[in-house]
Amino acid sequence: MKKGVFDFNHIPDLTTFYGEFARQFELSESFGANLDALWDEVTGGITLPVEIDFSNLSAGRKRRFGALILLFEEAEEELDGKLRFNVLEKPAGHKHKA
């Protein structure tokens, strides 16, 4: 299963997110870099199954990127198990010390 990891400590805006999504999923330069184009790619353009992780989403970032979160949550529901979407407070692979 392909996995896309998006660390929002390094993604300040939507433009950067779309560029990183296109890079990780090897999209062509014709990718529209907007919510409609992203939906089309997630639900029919990229190879499934896939897991998408968003890390380092503080409350402020969750508000700023809320449309992306909703899009991936809706796609996860529509794709019935072919997409797993996770919002992580810590970076992927981060171990919490006891």
Side-chain angles (χ1 to χ4, degrees):
M1 173 185 300
K2 173 131 176 101
K3 184 170 187 171
V5 178
F6 299 90
D7 181 348
F8 284 82
N9 279 339
H10 304 288
I11 299 174
D13 54 37
L14 286 172
T15 301
T16 305
F17 173 82
Y18 290 131
E20 183 61 15
F21 186 87
R23 185 190 69 75
Q24 287 192 37
F25 289 94
E26 302 173 350
L27 303 181
S28 72
E29 290 184 19
S30 65
F31 172 60
N34 60 58
L35 288 172
D36 288 335
L38 182 62
W39 177 263
D40 291 344
E41 289 297 333
V42 169
T43 60
I46 63 174
T47 301
L48 300 173
V50 67
E51 182 172 356
I52 304 287
D53 289 348
F54 282 12
S55 67
N56 293 308
L57 272 172
S58 64
R61 288 183 183 133
K62 283 181 182 175
R63 282 191 297 276
R64 185 178 323 144
F65 295 103
L68 289 179
I69 294 167
L70 286 173
L71 182 143
F72 281 102
E73 287 174 345
E74 289 177 18
E76 181 178 39
E77 189 173 313
E78 183 165 307
L79 293 171
D80 197 30
K82 294 180 181 133
L83 168 70
R84 287 194 338 211
F85 175 61
N86 306 296
V87 176
L88 312 168
E89 297 298 321
K90 302 284 183 200
H94 178 80
K95 302 219 184 219
H96 192 72
K97 291 186 179 181

